[in-house]
């Protein structure tokens, strides 16, 4: 069952420029109500304004002058780059002089600025936008300097996009967002494009969605801050009511269709999958709780829940140092009353699958259901529960396989849509590696990967410099067991599609990417705390420290399926076993039993405005 998750609303001021703008008394009532009812986790309400909103900043200044304490209850965002004109709501005005004048004027009226946006013009071509975001005439450097020195209180920078072309540009080149702390866009820019919305979510940047505030936008971007354009108190109360209704628990709808299936069979499949999912409640973490009286005891019980049994895990249970480190990491979160951070790394596409099969299927559904089962069990022991971060390895996939990163996104977009449709978005976030690294210069990232690859390749062939590898952070070398394990895995996945030398280089590139993870400390999701790592793959070789805080788990328990496969390397399907319809998985190259065939099927999941379409083929074993 889902728990209600309030939609976070912020207040926009574009309506203050129109003829229906409220007078000063009604504006004061609106702001006082918003300061109380729109508070976020930091206790502040978000207020978005801009010089292009006509007289809005001056109206706010008069209100803050009458009620000095009111300003401190808001995080105030304003922008520059567009200016107001009576017949053209957005006239471009991008220059260093414009930046200086706009910031100085807004800071005086608003009594400081918390977030400063660069507003881009609807008529800006992708080429001009790229030029501007690459530094243009120095405006971005000046904005970053203002933030660094906290001039007028500026602590965050944002980018506001006005066109679909602009959004597609930054999604395709996440490095253009380097240095920005938030991205603002119109909800209409993602309408009808769930793939674009999914890629946008995986950029790991806070999103602000402008009106219209609709069901589709909330479903596609469930974690976004939604700006309401309400211009009086009654309208804001109505908007809050609509937002609360949208955020209320929604049942998960399943619709199954399969070729050549009897009419009654789809209903039986839907009922079976509904039962399977209902026992794995996708509840989000409850947030911070009270401090535990005995964190060590609670951590021990949580560790046992995650380790599970031989039916639910891969290989042996952690022992010795690995188990002690797992308990410590859990206890550190429990002692502070925080959700336990859990990270997973996820493959960037269905390995060994054809183009048509490169879609999420029942293997991914089973894996997410397993994560939800952990969540439900842990919340019985520790109410804040778990907080999952799934690192989707698009950058690594492109580097290892020698392809463009865009080739990996159809699968990634389907994964994000599935997370949203299951109601997981509040407790599990999907982050693409390239988006995660937007704070770094992409040329620096690529150079590090190339350097890692060169040194590891030399080491593999017996000509490496051990001291140079150690300086890079790779100690101990690549042991024979790891070489054998990964080469055999590629043999199973790729067969004869790649030569032995190509497979060897792919393994070397894999280790170069793993080294990059360590060099950039990529997987630390909360400062000062080490996360637990769950994996659907067995650990093979390497230093003992790789097992620290790690548990290897099965996506489908052993009593349902003999295979223990990572979802991205598995074909997920349905079968009838002991009279019941159950999910199962198999390696892609493994042949079906004699006389059996897979009937193509699809499963649509919908919850509120979020939906996902999965491959859900059914095994037919004969008459």
């Amino acid at each position: 069952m889902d728990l209600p998750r309030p939609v976070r609303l912020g207040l926009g001021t574009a309506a203050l420029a129109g003829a229906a703008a409220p007078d000063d008394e009604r504006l004061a009532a609106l702001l006082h109500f918003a300061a109380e009812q729109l508070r976020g986790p930091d206790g502040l309400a978000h207020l978005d304004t801009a010089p292009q909103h006509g007289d809005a900043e001056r109206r706010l200044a008069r209100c803050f002058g009458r009620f000095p304490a009111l300003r401190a209850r808001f995080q105030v965002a304003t922008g520059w780059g567009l200016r107001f004109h009576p017949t053209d709501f957005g006239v471009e005005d991008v220059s260093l002089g414009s930046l200086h004048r706009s910031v100085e004027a807004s800071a005086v009226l608003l009594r400081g600025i918390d977030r400063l946006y660069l507003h881009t013009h609807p008529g800006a071509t992708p080429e001009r936008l790229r030029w501007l975001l690459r530094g243009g005439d120095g405006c971005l450097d000046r904005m970053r300097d203002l933030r660094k020195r906290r001039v007028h209180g500026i602590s965050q920078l944002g980018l506001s996009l006005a066109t679909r072309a602009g959004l597609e540009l930054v999604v395709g080149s996440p490095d253009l967002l380097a240095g920005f702390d938030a991205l603002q866009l119109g909800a209409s820019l993602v309408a009808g494009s769930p793939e674009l919305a999914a890629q946008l979510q995986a950029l790991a940047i806070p999103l602000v969605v402008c009106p219209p505030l609709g069901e589709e936008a909330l479903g596609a971007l469930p974690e976004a801050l939604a700006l309401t354009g309400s211009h009086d108190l009654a309208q804001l109360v109505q908007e809050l009511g609509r937002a609360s209704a949208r955020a209320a628990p929604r049942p998960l709808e399943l619709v199954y269709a399969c070729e050549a299936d009897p009419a009654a069979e789809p209903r039986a499949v839907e009922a079976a999958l509904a039962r399977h999912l209902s026992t794995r409640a996708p509840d989000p973490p409850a947030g911070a709780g009270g401090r535990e009286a005995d964190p060590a005891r609670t951590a021990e019980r949580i560790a046992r829940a995650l380790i599970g049994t031989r039916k639910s895990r891969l290989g042996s249970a952690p022992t010795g140092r690995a188990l002690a480190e797992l308990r410590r990491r859990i206890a550190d979160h429990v002692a502070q009353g925080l959700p336990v951070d859990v990270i997973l790394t996820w493959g960037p596409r269905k390995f060994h699958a054809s183009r048509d099969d490169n879609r999420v299927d029942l293997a991914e559904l089973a894996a997410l259901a397993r994560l939800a089962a952990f969540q439900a069990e842990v919340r019985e022991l520790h109410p804040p529960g778990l907080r999952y971060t799934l690192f989707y390895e698009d950058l690594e996939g492109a580097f290892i396989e020698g392809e463009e990163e865009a080739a990996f996104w159809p699968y990634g977009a389907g994964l994000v849509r599935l997370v949203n449709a299951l109601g997981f978005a509040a407790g599990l976030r999907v982050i693409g590696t390239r988006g995660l690294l937007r704070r770094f210069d992409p040329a620096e990232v690529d150079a590090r990967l190339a350097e890692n690859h060169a040194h590891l390749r030399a080491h593999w062939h017996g000509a490496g410099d051990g001291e140079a590898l150690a300086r890079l952070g790779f100690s101990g070398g690549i042991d024979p067991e790891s070489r054998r394990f990964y080469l055999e895995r590629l043999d199973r996945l790729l067969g004869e599609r790649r030569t032995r030398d190509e497979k060897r280089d792919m393994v070397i590139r894999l280790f170069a990417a793993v080294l990059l993870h360590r060099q950039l400390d990529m997987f630390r999701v909360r400062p000062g705390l080490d996360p637990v790592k769950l994996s659907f793959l067995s650990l093979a070789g390497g230093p003992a420290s790789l097992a620290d805080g790690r548990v290897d788990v099965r996506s489908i328990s052993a009593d349902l399926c003999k295979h223990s496969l990572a979802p991205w390397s598995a074909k997920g399907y349905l079968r009838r076993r002991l009279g019941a319809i159950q999910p199962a998985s198999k390696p892609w190259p493994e042949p079906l039993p004699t006389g059996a065939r897979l009937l193509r099927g699809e499963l649509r999941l919908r919850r509120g405005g979020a939906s996902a379409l999965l491959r859900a083929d059914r095994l037919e074993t004969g008459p």
Side-chain angles (χ1 to χ4, degrees):
M1 118 186 127
D2 272 337
L3 296 181
R5 182 175 57 85
V7 174
R8 174 84 195 279
L9 291 183
L11 182 64
T13 65
L16 299 188
D23 59 27
D24 286 355
E25 293 303 320
R26 288 190 295 153
L27 176 59
L30 177 70
L31 291 176
H32 277 91
F33 181 83
E36 179 62 30
Q37 297 298 319
L38 304 187
R39 286 182 299 168
D42 58 1
L44 300 176
H46 188 81
L47 179 63
D48 183 274
T49 188
Q52 72 181 106
H53 294 175
D55 202 33
E57 290 189 340
R58 295 187 182 279
R59 301 282 310 282
L60 292 172
R62 289 203 299 267
C63 190
F64 291 153
R66 292 175 58 197
F67 305 99
L70 184 59
R71 169 61 178 87
R73 301 177 68 186
F74 286 100
Q75 178 194 53
V76 175
T78 190
W80 75 283
L82 300 177
R83 58 182 172 81
F84 177 76
H85 187 276
T87 61
D88 187 346
F89 194 67
V91 176
E92 188 178 71
D93 190 7
V94 179
S95 66
L96 283 171
S98 171
L99 171 59
H100 175 75
R101 291 189 298 271
S102 184
V103 168
E104 292 299 318
S106 294
V108 171
L109 293 171
L110 301 173
R111 302 189 174 197
I113 299 169
D114 299 302
R115 178 183 294 171
L116 178 65
Y117 280 104
L118 168 60
H119 285 168
T120 58
H121 193 271
T125 64
E127 291 74 21
R128 175 167 175 75
L129 187 57
R130 185 187 296 275
W131 172 82
L132 188 60
L133 297 181
R134 293 287 188 206
D137 58 0
C139 292
L140 282 186
D141 286 341
R142 183 65 58 84
M143 289 178 67
R144 292 174 183 130
D145 179 64
L146 293 174
R147 178 183 58 188
K148 180 180 179 180
R149 296 188 291 119
R150 295 291 192 269
V151 176
H152 300 305
I154 296 171
S155 60
Q156 296 182 24
L157 301 180
L159 173 65
S160 180
L161 294 174
T163 65
R164 172 74 70 91
L167 181 58
E168 291 173 343
L169 173 66
V170 300
V171 165
S173 302
D175 59 289
L176 295 176
L177 294 172
F180 288 107
D181 304 295
L183 179 63
Q184 185 183 85
L185 64 145
S188 60
L189 300 188
V190 297
S193 182
E195 290 83 3
L196 183 61
Q199 294 177 50
L200 184 59
Q201 282 184 266
L203 290 180
I205 186 170
L207 301 174
V208 179
V209 179
C210 305
L213 180 61
E215 183 77 16
E216 183 178 359
L218 288 179
L221 302 172
E223 292 299 288
L225 170 69
L227 290 181
T228 171
S230 303
H231 56 74
D232 64 26
L233 184 55
Q235 189 181 49
L236 180 56
V237 170
Q238 289 180 344
E239 189 59 67
L240 270 173
R242 286 193 291 268
S244 297
R246 294 185 187 106
R250 300 292 184 89
L252 178 64
E253 303 171 18
L254 299 100
V255 178
Y256 179 70
C258 183
E259 64 180 12
D261 231 4
E265 189 69 1
R267 307 293 84 79
V269 169
E270 292 159 16
L273 287 174
R275 288 193 299 272
H276 180 72
L277 293 173
S278 68
T279 62
R280 294 157 170 79
D283 294 343
R291 296 181 183 273
E292 299 281 349
D294 189 350
R297 182 171 180 273
T298 300
E300 168 65 25
R301 296 173 68 191
I302 293 173
R304 286 203 302 267
L306 296 178
I307 293 170
T309 68
R310 278 184 283 185
K311 286 186 177 182
S312 63
R313 69 170 178 264
L314 296 173
S316 303
T319 59
R321 165 183 168 159
L323 179 58
E325 180 64 15
L326 175 65
R327 291 168 176 158
R328 181 194 69 79
R329 295 184 183 203
I330 297 172
D332 286 348
H333 290 81
V334 171
Q336 297 185 44
L338 296 172
V340 178
D341 286 311
V342 178
I343 64 173
L344 303 94
T345 53
W346 202 279
R349 70 176 173 192
K350 284 286 197 182
F351 293 139
H352 202 69
S354 66
R355 182 185 298 271
D356 185 52
D357 282 318
N358 186 31
R359 293 169 49 186
V360 294
D361 63 24
L362 293 176
E364 284 78 14
L365 180 63
L368 293 178
R370 172 55 53 89
L371 299 183
F374 284 139
Q375 180 72 282
E377 191 169 356
V378 169
R379 290 193 66 192
E380 292 294 322
L381 307 169
H382 176 59
L386 307 172
R387 187 177 73 157
Y388 292 111
T389 302
L390 189 156
F391 292 98
Y392 174 80
E393 297 183 309
D394 49 357
L395 167 68
E396 297 90 333
F399 178 71
I400 293 168
E401 300 195 39
E403 295 193 35
E404 295 294 325
E405 289 171 32
F408 299 91
W409 259 107
Y411 173 76
L415 181 64
V416 175
R417 290 199 299 274
L418 177 58
V419 168
N420 292 345
L422 286 173
F424 255 65
L428 188 156
R429 54 185 184 144
V430 179
I431 298 176
T433 304
R434 182 61 85 176
L436 179 72
L437 295 177
R438 71 181 192 281
R439 65 186 185 276
F440 296 99
D441 182 346
E444 176 191 348
V445 172
D446 293 341
R448 285 200 182 207
L449 272 173
E451 182 182 16
N452 293 348
H453 177 240
H455 282 283
L456 285 166
R457 182 173 56 191
H459 163 72
W460 185 288
H461 294 291
D465 181 345
E467 291 185 4
L469 266 181
R471 285 195 297 271
L472 290 174
F474 198 96
S475 59
I478 306 174
D479 61 90
E481 176 62 20
S482 296
R483 299 182 188 215
R484 181 195 61 77
F485 177 85
Y486 285 107
L487 284 173
E488 289 183 356
R489 176 182 289 174
L490 288 180
D491 283 338
R492 291 193 302 273
L493 292 174
L494 299 176
E496 300 301 319
R497 291 161 53 194
R498 297 287 181 99
T499 68
R500 192 66 173 177
D501 284 343
E502 288 174 328
K503 292 174 185 174
R504 187 179 295 114
D505 189 60
M506 290 174 70
V507 175
I508 296 170
R509 287 173 175 270
L510 166 66
F511 279 98
V514 170
L515 179 54
L516 181 77
H517 297 169
R518 300 182 205 167
Q519 291 167 335
L520 302 183
D521 197 18
M522 285 168 49
F523 298 148
R524 185 177 298 279
V525 294
R526 200 191 303 262
L529 290 173
D530 294 312
V532 171
K533 182 171 184 180
L534 286 184
S535 178
F536 293 110
L537 287 173
S538 296
L539 184 63
S545 61
L546 292 181
D548 288 350
R550 175 180 173 125
V551 181
D552 298 328
V553 298
R554 295 177 60 108
S555 57
I556 302 178
S557 62
D559 55 356
L560 292 180
C561 182
K562 67 177 182 179
H563 293 296
S564 54
L565 301 168
W568 54 91
S569 62
K571 167 69 175 176
Y573 62 97
L574 291 166
R575 67 173 177 174
R576 186 176 291 279
R577 180 172 178 268
L578 301 177
I581 297 172
Q582 298 174 340
S585 65
K586 76 176 192 69
W588 286 96
E590 180 185 84
L592 295 173
T594 302
R597 63 190 181 114
L598 284 169
L599 301 178
R600 183 184 178 98
E602 291 189 332
L603 177 69
R604 181 174 294 279
L605 297 89
R606 181 181 297 278
R607 189 188 300 270
S611 66
L613 184 64
L614 315 184
R615 279 293 292 271
D617 297 350
R618 187 170 66 79
L619 183 68
E620 178 66 51
T621 56

